[in-house]
Amino acid sequence: FGTRQTVAKNVFWLSFGQIGTRLLRASVIIYAARALGAAEYGVFSYVLGLAAFFTIFSDIGINTILTKEAAMNPEKSRQIFATSFRIKIILLVFTALLIIFVAPYFSKIEAAKPLLYFAAMLTIFDGIREFAIAFFRAKEKMELEALVTTVTNVAITLFGFAILYFAPTARSLAITYGLSAGTGTILGIFILRKEFGSMNSAFRRELLAPILRLAWPIAITSLVGIFMLNMDVIMLGALRTAEDVGFYSAGQKIIQLLYTLSSVLAVSLYPVLAKFVGQKNNGKTKELMEKGITASLLLAIPIVIGGVILSGEIIKFLYGESYLAAIPALRVLFFTVLLIFPGYHLTNYIMAHDKQKKAVPIILIGSLGNVIFNVLLIPLYGTVGAAIATLGALLLINGLSWRLAKKTNNFFILPHLKKIVSASALMGLFSLTLHWLGVHVLLNVALSATLYFVTLHFLKENSISEIKAVFKI
């Protein structure tokens, strides 16, 4: 495969596994929010958020190192796999114990505490499955990742709908969520049965120190994802009510699903980016970075404009009238898309150049800022305050990361955005007009998106030409 075809293949399989089946999984979450009500759904979301916060101890960058090192050293991939998994399983057991015995002290929502046992089980299943997926990526077997992800999300969806029909409680949903997640994990273990079967013989003690040395900067860097996605929910649970958590989580789920769009592109580009960096080809590295961020902003800018305009209609369509209080926070959260979409590429760019250590202070500043902003804003503004806190922290992190990335190997984005901004502005006016005319939100989105991409086509936007070249449209 050439570079374009390799990226296209990766995007196809990752899109199928990450976006397609997550939309399916999102359907059960939306149904759960309706069936459980804001307070009970808030308990479920709080449990997942609290458990996810403790997962900072479950990986410490091991998955990323497995992908990178196994790809670079295919002849040693089985030894790297076995040694990395030895570290991984110790971390997972330690994290599960933290969730069971320490997490209850962080919660003032009593109904959440009994569910933490099932959250610990979910953490172990997810950790092993993600480890298997990291190895698939090293071997460029994105189709296997898509298969495992699809089976997991289909199981959660089917069993989730069934259990909610017969027993619509946060407890029953948490149990089902944990057990269903195990289906994908079992499949991943079965596919890699030779690697798992040779765990003892392939283990190499001398690889432990190098793996840990490479992993720790990534471990600290990954804190940003944990803090951005879960700190707001945890602090809302501590400073407000379960109902507030439910309203905030309803909007957050929508935004997190959108984040997947850029994540897929960034993951697909990373192997090629790392190859160019390894070849010391600064020209191609710069060009790929500019194309990646431009493509992400091509999606992000119209999503933010349309999302802010249609937030109310989106909430009413997905969750119903009882979730109208979620609208103000969702409007603020839509602006995070402008930061998260290019942020994935900035992180990969820094890692590809082995600048992880320089990113550590940036992550610490952003994480501390997020906590401070939440403490100041949640008591005053509730869910909107939590959303503003996330936005503020992301501005800190992205601004500093952008500066570091440009100092590493300079690139330019603004010259590539003129046509995208013009098309987005036209789309926004069109979407606002349809909204005023009372057009249904789904039809509005479809018509507005069509107008946007048709406009880009007539403006001869380079990113559209790139897509056509890849798929020979």
Side-chain angles (χ1 to χ4, degrees):
F1 288 122
T3 298
R4 287 177 175 172
Q5 284 69 36
T6 298
V7 171
K9 178 180 76 75
N10 292 345
V11 168
F12 173 79
W13 285 114
L14 285 172
S15 296
F16 178 78
Q18 296 291 333
I19 299 174
T21 61
R22 284 196 181 189
L23 284 170
L24 184 65
R25 180 169 168 173
S27 65
V28 76
I29 295 296
I30 292 168
Y31 179 72
R34 286 174 170 266
L36 299 179
E40 191 78 2
Y41 178 65
V43 171
F44 172 73
S45 298
Y46 184 72
V47 169
L48 292 187
L50 191 59
F53 175 77
F54 281 90
T55 59
I56 58 175
F57 303 105
S58 71
D59 182 56
I60 66 166
I62 298 300
N63 289 354
T64 303
I65 296 303
L66 172 63
T67 298
K68 182 179 178 181
E69 294 301 311
M72 292 176 63
N73 305 284
E75 72 283 357
K76 297 182 180 178
S77 62
R78 187 160 291 181
Q79 290 87 344
I80 294 168
F81 180 94
T83 308
S84 299
F85 188 73
R86 188 73 62 92
I87 301 171
K88 182 73 174 183
I89 201 66
I90 292 172
L91 292 171
L92 285 172
V93 172
F94 176 68
T95 302
L97 292 174
L98 286 178
I99 293 171
I100 293 170
F101 295 109
V102 178
Y105 293 100
F106 286 75
S107 175
K108 76 167 189 177
I109 301 176
E110 291 299 321
K113 294 180 181 179
L115 305 185
L116 290 171
Y117 292 96
F118 305 106
M121 177 176 60
L122 176 65
T123 298
I124 292 176
F125 283 145
D126 283 348
I128 296 174
R129 187 178 65 254
E130 291 300 323
F131 185 83
I133 285 174
F135 194 71
F136 294 150
R137 290 177 179 176
K139 297 298 183 180
E140 295 191 80
K141 297 291 186 181
M142 304 300 188
E143 63 274 20
L144 294 179
E145 174 180 350
L147 174 63
V148 170
T149 303
T150 298
V151 169
T152 301
N153 288 333
V154 167
I156 289 174
T157 302
L158 293 178
F159 290 120
F161 274 116
I163 197 67
L164 286 170
Y165 180 80
F166 292 105
T169 66
R171 177 183 175 82
S172 59
L173 183 59
I175 296 171
T176 304
Y177 220 76
L179 292 175
S180 300
T183 56
T185 303
I186 294 170
L187 177 60
I189 293 172
F190 176 77
I191 294 172
L192 296 175
R193 56 192 179 278
K194 291 183 179 179
E195 283 74 14
F196 281 105
S198 61
M199 291 295 301
N200 291 329
S201 60
F203 173 74
R204 296 291 182 270
R205 185 181 298 273
E206 62 271 17
L207 291 177
L208 286 172
I211 290 173
L212 291 171
R213 185 173 63 252
L214 290 169
W216 78 262
I218 300 172
I220 297 177
T221 302
S222 68
L223 282 171
V224 65
I226 302 298
F227 270 80
M228 295 305 103
L229 294 178
N230 302 293
M231 181 55 69
D232 299 343
V233 168
I234 293 170
M235 296 192 74
L236 272 171
L239 300 173
R240 304 287 286 212
T241 66
E243 192 172 33
D244 286 314
V245 174
F247 289 136
Y248 187 80
S249 296
Q252 192 184 48
K253 294 299 181 187
I254 297 170
I255 300 300
Q256 288 175 1
L257 186 61
L258 293 173
Y259 291 167
T260 309
L261 294 172
S262 186
S263 173
V264 164
L265 179 60
V267 170
S268 300
L269 290 176
Y270 183 66
V272 182
L273 183 69
K275 181 181 70 174
F276 288 156
V277 172
Q279 295 170 348
K280 301 187 185 303
N281 193 329
N282 290 339
K284 285 189 175 180
T285 302
K286 169 182 174 292
E287 182 183 3
L288 188 62
M289 181 65 164
E290 290 176 350
K291 288 180 178 179
I293 292 183
T294 300
S296 289
L297 290 174
L298 181 145
L299 297 174
I301 294 173
I303 284 173
V304 173
I305 293 173
V308 170
I309 293 171
L310 299 174
S311 288
E313 297 304 313
I314 292 170
I315 288 293
K316 283 189 285 186
F317 174 72
L318 293 177
Y319 297 104
E321 297 286 339
S322 62
Y323 276 82
L324 293 181
I327 295 172
L330 177 59
R331 285 203 173 102
V332 177
L333 286 173
F334 262 112
F335 285 100
T336 66
V337 170
L338 279 177
L339 301 171
I340 289 291
F341 273 41
Y344 286 122
H345 297 278
L346 291 173
T347 299
N348 285 348
Y349 199 64
I350 291 167
M351 288 174 55
H353 285 90
D354 289 324
K355 300 289 185 180
Q356 298 99 312
K357 292 182 181 179
K358 292 188 176 181
V360 171
I362 295 173
I363 301 306
L364 294 176
I365 291 170
S367 300
L368 180 61
N370 193 32
V371 173
I372 293 172
F373 296 153
N374 273 311
V375 169
L376 294 175
L377 296 174
I378 288 176
L380 295 174
Y381 305 110
T383 57
V384 174
I388 294 173
T390 293
L391 186 61
L394 286 172
L395 281 169
L396 277 175
I397 292 167
N398 272 41
L400 294 171
S401 296
W402 195 280
R403 182 170 175 268
L404 174 59
K406 285 179 71 69
K407 286 176 65 177
T408 300
N409 183 19
N410 200 12
F411 57 90
F412 301 94
I413 301 301
L414 288 179
H416 302 286
L417 298 182
K418 294 177 182 178
K419 296 174 183 178
I420 292 172
V421 171
S422 298
S424 297
L426 178 62
M427 183 220 73
L429 289 173
F430 182 69
S431 180
L432 186 61
T433 302
L434 294 181
H435 177 58
W436 282 340
L437 293 174
V439 174
H440 191 276
V441 62
L442 293 183
L443 182 59
N444 190 331
V445 170
L447 293 175
S448 297
T450 301
L451 174 66
Y452 175 67
F453 285 106
V454 168
T455 303
L456 287 177
H457 170 73
F458 280 109
L459 291 175
K460 297 182 179 180
E461 163 58 35
N462 289 334
S463 297
I464 300 298
S465 301
E466 287 286 331
I467 295 171
K468 287 182 177 181
V470 168
F471 295 101
K472 298 180 180 179
I473 297 174

